[in-house]
Amino acid sequence: MSAGLNPAQQQAVNHLRGPCLVLAGAGSGKTRVITHKIARLIQTGTPAEKIAAITFTNKAAAEMRERATSLVGRAARDALICTFHALGVRMLRADGEALGLKPRFSILDSDDVTSLLKDCGAGTDAATARQWQWAISRWKNMGLDAAQAEAQAQNDTERIAARIMARYQERLAAYQSVDFDDLIVLPVRLLREHAEPRAKWQAAFEHLLIDEYQDTNATQYELLKLLAGARPRFTAVGDDDQSIYGWRGATLDNLQRLPEDFPALEVIKLEQNYRSTNAILRAANALIRPNPKLFPKTLFSELGEGEPVRVVDCDNEEHEAERAAQRILSLRENSPYKAWRDFAVLYRANHQARLFEQALRRAQIPYKVSGGQSFFDRAEIRDLCAWLRLWVNNDDDPAFLRAVTTPKRGIGHQTLERLGRFAGQYHLSLFDAIFSNSLASVLPARALDAVHEFGRQVNDLEFRARHTRGAEDARAFLAGWLNDIGYERHLYDGEDSEKLAAARWTHALEFCDWIAGRCGGQAQDATGAGDALEAKSLLEVAQTVSLLSSIAERDQEQNVVTLSTLHAAKGLEWPHVLLVGVNEGLLPFKAGDDAGAGSAADGVQQQRLEEERRLMYVGITRAQRTLGVSWTKRRKRGRETVPGRPSRFIAEMALDEATVREDPREKLRALRAEFARRAEHAGAPAGES
């Protein structure tokens, strides 16, 4: 089982009896360590169902589960391998009643939260609601409730947001709903305030494994501590040099707190990199050196020196994009890694993608923009999810409002406004209100008939979904449902372009097919349970739908060049990486006039600079065989063109005289390759004009 592990990896895998921190440098095989440790725990007598491996994405959890199963077979399927949020759902579905939650509570997505906050602010605009949303999320991740947030508010804006937070929490409770932050905050409260669930969940797991530990926030750390209990057995795996999510609450303080809170902590460093050449790692090690270290480490590789890191200065952003396209064509011509998927162009901010898209299209290079719209963010998928959420939880008012108006059924704004006032007066959910005998006093007969018909339809669908099991039955049920509500006609009526309407209808069918597939008993559910032998009911699958990641992830193996932000590239790797726009003001990013006054402001700026340096480090360590870094002598800032300077990070990479700058012959080779390909594409022999 331990074949192929280096000594440090082996040490991490064999440390089974106490708390352990594995500092896994980029490309050092952290997933290999976690999966081998799961296997080792099972083989030494720990029941698989007593092991929990917690990560941040469904994709990472699926990979972990697959690799653990390949090591120890079906036994690994009983281990809980899931995301932090899926673990929170599991805990709240089982024991949330101690906090006043019904087992079938709803999980609101970001747009639902924005709408709810607009309502809490009496019709405020979406931009203000989003500002409140970010503030509330930040406070929740710090472990603060509305009263605590108001007590420490620094100004009127924060005080207003804290008061809105109080109203927002009241509405969440009334709607039997939670937001994504609550999926961590509420389990922490559950374990902290209720002894019986705390004892139950501490006994549930004999060993916890936490992936990407450097990305945890304050409440996730509290959840780990509460689950670990008095006899902690856990393995935290992370890399302080790759902590790039400070803006969403992740804190390196959690790394500092571990040895303080767990004095018996064993710290193991993984420094051998299996991804990159030494030329690339030398640049990465030099870059990250100025950042303060809790646990210093230096990456090394046995893959050889490799090609020097190349730095290119470009006239402007258009010139930079053209050079990137030429570089890709040249490398494809002269490298053993020729597939388009072997190339990535990485940048600091989404707006930088446009010029590179244009340059790649001109060069007939296929590409995808990573981090684009999620499948679940599409309006048609959100429509269908609202119906599923309403089946699961009739008290989910945001889902009710979307489902009752999509497709339209003669229930207008006036009807919904009267229904909302009635429901508020009698403290009912909108769905419960439509069955109240008193509703006839506020709605005319025609409107009353329409809402009653909708209510009966939802109840019927819920009953049938509860008793529909297996992929084929679910597929037939969902097809009949779309037909009954006239969803295809709704899409075509709502779009000027028939082509766009057809695409949206295809997405709806694809979603239903995918949901049906999850009823077949073979797919992993979002709560992290192992491969089920029995088919699930459609209603059981609907309960997990808010946690599912993008259906588009299955297209990740397309043979195309990847354009991606540095944040979205974390955890990925490519043979050839082009790191572009490495200018002062872009990387490190500077928002307007960042000048501050006083030691506190200086400290914040220093923390931002250190995180930006880690972001550059993440970009460098995505590269396996070649790394190109480019900056522009002039760049756009708003409507102006301003002089550009190379990022300080380029100098910090400490590249020597072997660093390659652009070879004019490479441009000629790229042009010849492009000409040959276009001639072939046109059907003419290469070389003829």
Side-chain angles (χ1 to χ4, degrees):
M1 184 211 76
S2 60
L5 296 178
N6 66 38
Q9 291 174 330
Q10 189 71 63
Q11 182 187 359
V13 166
N14 287 335
H15 186 86
L16 304 178
R17 297 301 171 200
C20 178
L21 172 62
V22 180
L23 289 163
S28 63
K30 71 176 178 65
T31 304
R32 184 176 180 80
V33 165
I34 293 172
T35 52
H36 274 73
K37 191 154 192 174
I38 292 170
R40 180 75 174 146
L41 285 162
I42 292 171
Q43 291 181 340
T44 54
T46 303
E49 62 272 16
K50 295 274 189 178
I51 299 168
I54 314 301
T55 186
F56 278 85
T57 68
N58 289 313
K59 180 183 172 186
E63 181 188 358
M64 219 175 273
R65 192 177 304 108
E66 184 179 333
R67 289 168 68 169
T69 302
S70 72
L71 290 173
V72 290
R74 295 183 65 85
R77 297 180 182 180
D78 293 329
L80 177 65
I81 303 175
C82 67
T83 65
F84 269 102
H85 292 96
L87 173 62
V89 170
R90 176 176 284 237
M91 295 173 70
L92 294 175
R93 295 260 187 241
D95 295 298
E97 286 181 281
L99 302 174
L101 273 181
K102 298 175 185 175
R104 283 167 57 181
F105 60 83
S106 295
I107 304 166
L108 302 190
D109 63 24
S110 180
D111 282 0
D112 291 327
V113 171
T114 305
S115 298
L116 196 52
L117 287 169
K118 285 171 67 178
D119 180 55
C120 292
T124 191
D125 61 277
T128 303
R130 280 193 291 271
Q131 294 289 340
W132 291 339
Q133 191 171 345
W134 296 330
I136 291 168
S137 177
R138 186 175 70 252
W139 287 327
K140 285 189 177 186
N141 287 326
M142 291 166 63
L144 303 179
D145 61 22
Q148 292 166 325
E150 185 170 2
Q152 69 167 42
Q154 299 293 309
N155 51 51
D156 287 343
T157 301
E158 289 188 358
R159 275 186 283 277
I160 291 169
R163 289 166 192 159
I164 291 293
M165 181 180 181
R167 291 182 213 164
Y168 170 66
Q169 290 302 124
E170 288 172 2
R171 280 167 171 76
L172 285 180
Y175 298 164
Q176 282 290 301
S177 297
V178 299
D179 60 28
F180 262 53
D181 295 314
D182 289 329
L183 296 179
I184 311 297
V185 172
L186 293 179
V188 167
R189 212 179 107 202
L190 175 72
L191 299 186
R192 193 181 279 154
E193 297 176 4
H194 299 276
E196 193 174 326
R198 180 168 65 247
K200 168 188 167 180
W201 286 100
Q202 287 176 350
F205 306 122
E206 289 186 15
H207 202 100
L208 295 165
L209 299 104
I210 301 91
D211 188 23
E212 303 286 10
Y213 177 74
Q214 78 283 346
D215 293 337
T216 55
N217 60 37
T219 50
Q220 286 162 336
Y221 180 73
E222 287 304 311
L223 183 59
L224 163 63
K225 276 183 63 179
L226 287 163
L227 285 171
R231 294 192 305 127
R233 293 183 180 178
F234 65 79
T235 303
V237 182
D239 181 8
D240 50 339
D241 290 332
Q242 295 188 74
S243 179
I244 59 173
Y245 295 116
W247 48 274
R248 70 180 190 198
T251 173
L252 283 173
D253 291 347
N254 290 351
L255 274 168
Q256 193 165 354
R257 290 175 64 185
L258 265 185
E260 295 170 359
D261 292 341
F262 302 97
L265 184 75
E266 179 84 5
V267 179
I268 300 166
K269 299 178 188 176
L270 304 184
E271 297 176 287
Q272 181 170 353
N273 175 287
Y274 293 91
R275 174 186 300 159
S276 308
T277 63
N278 277 308
I280 293 167
L281 294 182
R282 198 161 48 248
N285 288 330
L287 170 81
I288 205 66
R289 198 168 290 128
N291 273 13
K293 298 287 194 303
L294 285 170
F295 309 100
K297 62 183 180 303
T298 302
L299 298 183
F300 68 92
S301 169
E302 294 181 355
L303 296 175
E305 176 63 15
E307 289 193 29
V309 175
R310 72 182 248 129
V311 176
V312 176
D313 51 80
C314 307
D315 294 338
N316 52 41
E317 287 122 323
E318 289 83 358
H319 186 210
E320 183 180 40
E322 288 299 330
R323 278 191 164 180
Q326 291 164 14
R327 175 70 173 158
I328 290 169
L329 292 173
S330 175
L331 282 169
R332 192 165 180 261
E333 193 73 19
N334 300 293
S335 163
Y337 299 94
K338 296 182 181 296
W340 296 119
R341 68 169 66 92
D342 293 336
F343 297 85
V345 179
L346 307 182
Y347 37 80
R348 176 64 178 82
N350 278 309
H351 71 83
Q352 294 171 265
R354 183 178 59 84
L355 292 175
F356 291 93
E357 288 191 71
Q358 292 172 356
L360 294 182
R361 282 201 297 269
R362 280 195 296 270
Q364 298 181 10
I365 296 173
Y367 69 89
K368 67 175 179 182
V369 180
S370 184
Q373 186 186 39
S374 161
F375 189 84
F376 278 82
D377 286 338
R378 298 179 188 277
E380 57 271 23
I381 306 306
R382 290 169 54 75
D383 289 344
L384 303 187
C385 284
W387 281 83
L388 268 61
R389 283 167 42 195
L390 193 57
W391 301 347
V392 170
N393 174 14
N394 295 158
D395 293 337
D396 187 339
D397 280 3
F400 176 96
L401 289 170
R402 187 159 192 139
V404 79
T405 55
T406 313
K408 296 188 186 306
R409 58 188 66 252
I411 300 174
H413 293 300
Q414 285 187 338
T415 298
L416 292 174
E417 187 180 348
R418 290 174 182 172
L419 179 64
R421 280 204 304 269
F422 178 86
Q425 180 182 350
Y426 292 101
H427 305 289
L428 299 170
S429 70
L430 293 171
F431 190 82
D432 284 343
I434 65 179
F435 294 107
S436 168
N437 291 331
S438 305
L439 186 61
S441 64
V442 297
L443 288 186
R446 186 174 175 183
L448 190 65
D449 288 345
V451 295
H452 281 165
E453 176 57 31
F454 175 70
R456 283 192 293 269
Q457 187 176 29
V458 171
N459 281 334
D460 178 58
L461 289 166
E462 177 193 344
F463 176 82
R464 289 165 54 204
R466 187 190 304 278
H467 295 90
T468 298
R469 292 183 178 272
E472 288 309 310
D473 286 350
R475 202 167 278 117
F477 171 91
L478 292 168
W481 163 54
L482 291 184
N483 183 62
D484 289 346
I485 66 174
Y487 194 70
E488 182 179 13
R489 175 48 50 200
H490 161 75
L491 291 178
Y492 277 88
D493 288 345
E495 291 291 348
D496 294 332
S497 162
E498 191 167 307
K499 183 178 179 182
L500 185 55
R504 293 184 64 191
W505 175 238
T506 300
H507 295 152
L509 294 177
E510 192 175 13
F511 172 75
C512 289
D513 190 59
W514 183 72
I515 288 289
R518 299 182 73 82
C519 297
Q522 300 304 312
Q524 178 76 21
D525 72 21
T527 60
D531 287 2
L533 297 177
E534 295 182 13
K536 292 184 177 66
S537 77
L538 187 56
L539 198 66
E540 288 173 312
V541 171
Q543 287 180 357
T544 69
V545 76
S546 292
L547 282 182
L548 304 177
S549 57
S550 170
I551 197 172
E553 282 181 357
R554 68 188 183 191
D555 295 329
Q556 62 191 6
E557 291 304 317
Q558 290 174 281
N559 187 23
V560 294
V561 173
T562 298
L563 300 180
S564 174
T565 64
L566 289 164
H567 282 101
K570 186 169 175 289
L572 304 175
E573 58 187 272
W574 296 269
H576 306 294
V577 168
L578 301 178
L579 193 46
V580 300
V582 188
N583 279 63
E584 280 295 308
L586 279 176
L587 185 63
F589 180 73
K590 185 174 182 179
D593 183 7
D594 247 2
S599 58
D602 291 343
V604 169
Q605 286 186 33
Q606 184 60 31
Q607 288 177 358
R608 286 178 184 166
L609 177 61
E610 289 166 7
E611 180 156 319
E612 291 289 301
R613 187 177 284 116
R614 293 193 292 269
L615 192 56
M616 176 81 172
Y617 176 85
V618 164
I620 293 171
T621 54
R622 299 312 91 199
Q624 297 172 338
R625 295 297 175 268
T626 74
L627 173 65
V629 177
S630 62
W631 63 280
T632 61
K633 297 174 186 175
R634 294 188 303 277
R635 67 184 185 91
K636 291 276 181 63
R637 192 165 65 191
R639 295 184 178 182
E640 294 181 304
T641 298
V642 297
R645 289 186 295 130
S647 168
R648 70 192 76 183
F649 296 155
I650 293 177
E652 289 177 1
M653 290 163 69
L655 302 171
D656 56 29
E657 65 277 358
T659 299
V660 178
R661 299 188 182 258
E662 184 171 56
D663 182 349
R665 291 170 297 182
E666 179 179 283
K667 184 172 182 179
L668 182 60
R669 283 196 299 269
L671 289 171
R672 285 175 176 164
E674 184 179 353
F675 174 78
R677 190 177 63 262
R678 291 191 181 196
E680 184 180 355
H681 183 71
E688 287 187 12
S689 57

